Amino acid sequence: MADDLERLVRRLHRRRIALRLTYRYLAGRPLSGRDGYPWRTRGAGRLAGWQRQAVRLGMPTAAGVAVVMPEQTLTAASALAVAAAWRGRQRLVRRRFHREYIAPTLAAIIPPLGLQTGVQLHVDPSLGNLTPRLAKPLSPAEEAARLFYGERIEPVLRWLPERVQRAAWAAQRRARPVTSRLEVFRRPGEELGPRIEVLIDTPYLTREQRQLVSSIIGSKIPVSDLVESWHQIGPRVRARWTVRKRPPAKVGHDQVLAHFPKLPDWEFYIGQGAGDVPVVISLREDSPHIAVSAGSGAGKSVLAELIAVQVLARGGRVTILDRKGSHRWALGQPGVDYCTRPEQMHDAILRKAALADERNTLALHEDEDWDPGPRDLVICEELNATIGQLANYWAEVRGKGDPKRSPAIAALADLLFMGRSAKVNVLAIAQMLTARAIGGPEARENFGIRCLARYTANNWKMLVPEASMPRASRTLGRWQVVIGGQATEVQVAYLTTAQARALATSPADLDKPLTSDVPGDGDMMTLRDAVDAGVLPWSYEAAKKRMQRRAGKVPAPRGNRGNADLYARADLAEWAGSKP
């Protein structure tokens, strides 16, 4: 009887062990019965419970299916092999990314902060060109394999996902009338996008520690033009670097009309910045002169035109030194002295230097806030070539006893040093504004406003070494305006020729075209404009006396600019040819 009872107990014990082993096998738990291996997360060097469960149940199932359906199993196995290879490649890339960026950066951050652990770093691979930096050069065999994959395999693999995506987009468009009304109930969330984020298990970091962390991030992770923010409320410190918001892709006539009339005489609207914020430069507060450096076709003349028409609209004058004819909008424009030949440029610069010297002399005997008169803007196009042409011209005409250096080049340097109080400003344009192109490094330091586009690292370091260099944009009209070592990304406003001429000629009515009583677009000029442009053969004082005596066929005024009357160019030319 006792033996039967003992055999029954052993049998029940064995059955209990078998049930436990079966449960542990199916549940993904260790067969030894040891605890401490969670089902969701992985243990130290071991699989998670769900992974172990998938292996234990999947392998017998796959074996049974392979016996029953060998052909379908082979197809499925091929698909799984492709997916496994793809996932393995992704995992290798992530491991290389972690080894190249994450691990070294953490190793550099943790010791200076005095922390053993408790620092988490997240870096989005989509930032900049971080992932392409890890790519190694391909061998000819690898290039051939990638070409074959791209031409033969990838189109087949992407056919179904693309169709599904297009169907989803079509469904979204169909549902838009309904979903658009539901957007009023959606709470705005924080759209982070690609970012670098550091979480530090400490409640506070000093300013020096924050600067150290920021310096390490900038040195170890080669991504520029990010916005840095710190959050120290709570038990942990969080630092985040996000992608800077970009200006709008296009800015035009409407934005100029909206912002320009509100500005004082010394401020100029040039375009929109990040967040669609207007960008304004000041020739009184920021700098009296502007340097423009960009590659060919970047829009240098567009930027110069935008500033010039604002000067003209306020009653000022513009002198353009332009050998190649980039400013056709200014031909015949009142208040514009367009110089295309070296002798014209030479004389024009000497006149402006004399004007600045005269105004500065008068300013000595006037109050501190004395206004010397309308603003004069000198636009020097392609300065690298213009300086050489002025030097060659002077070498040809220089007489015995004349100085070797061109007086025009010396006068241009004088304008850069004394133009602020005289309201004579220089806008220098060059593909690379070297010290030699502007007359020396001292003269170049007078440009407090520096605009760059399509720049190289060499050009940036030469012109604005004090500012950190953002990545050059390929968007047409996208500029970096550097003032006081701070670079601001700007989409410069674009004006057509008709819009520019209308804005420069009709400042009182900016949003309307020229009126019909104007004989031609840009043919209106004051008496002084006519003398300077050579339309009248007399001096300004002689022309005024002739008009007062009504000598000849005196033209009738067609309008006014400030206190000065405007006359038609054709009427002035007829008056100059008539006999008293």
Side-chain angles (χ1 to χ4, degrees):
M1 185 69 177
D3 295 339
D4 295 338
L5 183 60
E6 184 177 356
R7 283 195 299 270
L8 179 61
V9 171
R10 289 177 181 175
R11 188 182 304 167
L12 292 175
H13 183 66
R14 286 195 298 269
R15 185 177 298 175
R16 184 179 180 184
I17 292 175
L19 291 174
R20 285 182 178 179
L21 291 175
T22 304
Y23 164 73
R24 292 171 184 168
Y25 182 86
L26 296 177
R29 299 179 61 83
L31 296 179
S32 60
R34 289 182 298 173
D35 295 326
Y37 298 101
W39 191 79
R40 293 185 178 180
T41 59
R42 299 181 60 177
R46 297 178 181 273
L47 296 176
W50 69 269
Q51 294 174 328
R52 192 184 299 110
Q53 185 181 30
V55 172
R56 291 175 180 175
L57 298 180
M59 291 183 65
T61 305
V65 172
V67 173
V68 177
M69 297 182 295
E71 295 181 358
Q72 292 81 349
T73 302
L74 182 60
T75 303
S78 302
L80 289 175
V82 172
W86 175 260
R87 178 155 185 174
R89 180 179 176 276
Q90 295 264 343
R91 191 167 182 178
L92 286 175
V93 172
R94 285 198 300 268
R95 288 187 63 181
R96 291 182 59 196
F97 188 87
H98 186 277
R99 184 175 66 250
E100 188 73 18
Y101 299 118
I102 305 296
T105 306
L106 288 176
I109 290 176
I110 292 175
L113 297 181
L115 301 174
Q116 299 300 324
T117 56
V119 179
Q120 302 177 26
L121 174 63
H122 168 78
V123 181
D124 281 322
S126 58
L127 281 172
N129 57 349
L130 294 182
T131 303
R133 284 173 180 263
L134 301 178
K136 297 179 180 179
L138 300 178
S139 66
E142 290 174 325
E143 291 182 357
R146 286 177 177 268
L147 181 62
F148 176 80
Y149 176 84
E151 293 180 350
R152 304 293 179 84
I153 300 178
E154 187 175 7
V156 177
L157 297 179
R158 294 185 60 86
W159 185 86
L160 182 60
E162 286 181 355
R163 296 303 184 276
V164 173
Q165 185 65 58
R166 291 180 182 179
W169 288 340
Q172 290 175 0
R173 289 194 297 268
R174 292 290 184 89
R176 187 63 184 170
V178 178
T179 57
S180 60
R181 298 186 179 184
L182 298 178
E183 288 181 355
V184 296
F185 301 102
R186 181 182 301 170
R187 293 182 179 179
E190 188 178 13
E191 297 182 2
L192 298 178
R195 68 193 185 280
I196 301 173
E197 193 169 43
V198 178
L199 291 175
I200 306 174
D201 286 339
T202 183
Y204 179 75
L205 289 181
T206 64
R207 182 169 138 188
E208 291 76 14
Q209 289 176 319
R210 296 198 300 271
Q211 290 177 349
L212 176 63
V213 172
S214 179
S215 176
I216 292 173
I217 292 292
S219 301
K220 302 296 290 184
I221 303 175
V223 179
S224 60
D225 201 24
L226 299 180
V227 179
E228 178 180 344
S229 61
W230 287 83
H231 180 81
Q232 300 205 86
I233 299 176
R236 295 194 299 176
V237 175
R238 182 185 66 199
R240 184 179 292 159
W241 290 262
T242 54
V243 178
R244 188 182 300 276
K245 293 183 179 179
R246 298 297 182 187
K250 186 178 181 181
V251 180
H253 187 241
D254 295 339
Q255 286 88 343
V256 177
L257 297 182
H259 299 290
F260 164 64
K262 306 174 185 177
L263 302 177
D265 174 69
W266 57 87
E267 290 186 352
F268 296 85
Y269 170 79
I270 59 173
Q272 298 293 111
D276 207 17
V277 177
V279 177
V280 176
I281 59 175
S282 172
L283 295 183
R284 188 175 74 174
E285 307 296 338
D286 299 330
S287 167
H289 308 297
I290 305 171
V292 177
S293 179
S296 179
K300 300 186 293 292
S301 300
V302 172
L303 177 57
E305 170 195 302
L306 180 62
I307 298 175
V309 296
Q310 296 180 66
V311 172
L312 295 172
R314 291 166 176 161
R317 297 186 58 82
V318 175
T319 301
I320 303 177
L321 314 181
D322 181 20
R323 182 67 172 166
K324 64 179 184 178
S326 301
H327 297 271
R328 298 183 181 275
W329 66 271
L331 294 175
Q333 191 71 22
V336 177
D337 188 5
Y338 205 137
C339 307
T340 59
R341 297 191 301 273
E343 58 270 22
Q344 294 176 330
M345 300 179 188
H346 181 93
D347 296 339
I349 296 177
L350 293 181
R351 288 199 304 269
K352 296 307 172 184
L355 174 65
D357 183 64
E358 178 186 355
R359 288 182 173 182
N360 285 327
T361 302
L362 295 174
L364 294 175
H365 308 285
E366 302 290 345
D367 296 334
E368 186 175 353
D369 57 348
W370 174 69
D371 187 0
R375 186 176 303 279
D376 264 80
L377 179 67
V378 180
I379 299 177
C380 304
E381 273 280 356
E382 297 298 341
L383 201 57
N384 301 93
T386 300
I387 292 294
Q389 292 172 3
L390 291 174
N392 294 336
Y393 169 74
W394 180 246
E396 293 176 0
V397 302
R398 181 171 67 92
K400 187 176 182 180
D402 290 336
K404 291 185 178 181
R405 189 186 186 193
S406 168
I409 297 177
L412 181 60
D414 291 340
L415 282 178
L416 295 176
F417 285 102
M418 64 182 183
R420 179 190 292 270
S421 58
K423 291 179 68 174
V424 179
N425 310 106
V426 177
L427 194 155
I429 302 175
Q431 292 193 13
M432 181 168 286
L433 194 63
T434 60
R436 178 179 175 274
I438 199 59
E442 300 85 2
R444 193 173 62 182
E445 290 303 314
N446 290 284
F447 293 101
I449 302 174
R450 306 186 179 192
C451 308
L452 297 94
R454 293 186 182 175
Y455 43 82
T456 62
N458 182 35
N459 194 13
W460 184 277
K461 292 178 181 178
M462 179 194 67
L463 201 57
V464 283
E466 70 278 7
S468 59
M469 188 185 78
R471 177 185 294 182
S473 175
R474 296 183 180 179
T475 303
L476 186 62
R478 186 67 52 82
W479 289 78
Q480 294 288 342
V481 179
V482 183
I483 302 175
Q486 181 67 38
T488 303
E489 191 174 24
V490 184
Q491 181 69 29
V492 170
Y494 174 75
L495 298 176
T496 64
T497 299
Q499 291 170 347
R501 294 171 73 92
L503 177 60
T505 308
S506 307
D509 199 6
L510 297 178
D511 56 346
K512 295 182 180 179
L514 297 178
T515 54
S516 58
D517 59 342
V518 178
D521 188 6
D523 287 341
M524 301 298 293
M525 56 177 54
T526 64
L527 202 61
R528 186 180 294 275
D529 294 339
V531 172
D532 293 341
V535 177
L536 298 179
W538 319 296
S539 66
Y540 175 66
E541 296 298 332
K544 284 205 308 183
K545 290 181 180 179
R546 283 174 174 264
M547 185 164 288
Q548 291 169 359
R549 296 197 306 264
R550 312 296 298 177
K553 191 175 181 180
V554 178
R558 297 293 189 94
N560 58 71
R561 182 194 299 154
N563 296 327
D565 291 332
L566 286 174
Y567 302 91
R569 176 187 283 267
D571 294 346
L572 291 170
E574 184 180 359
W575 178 40
S578 64
K579 295 182 179 181

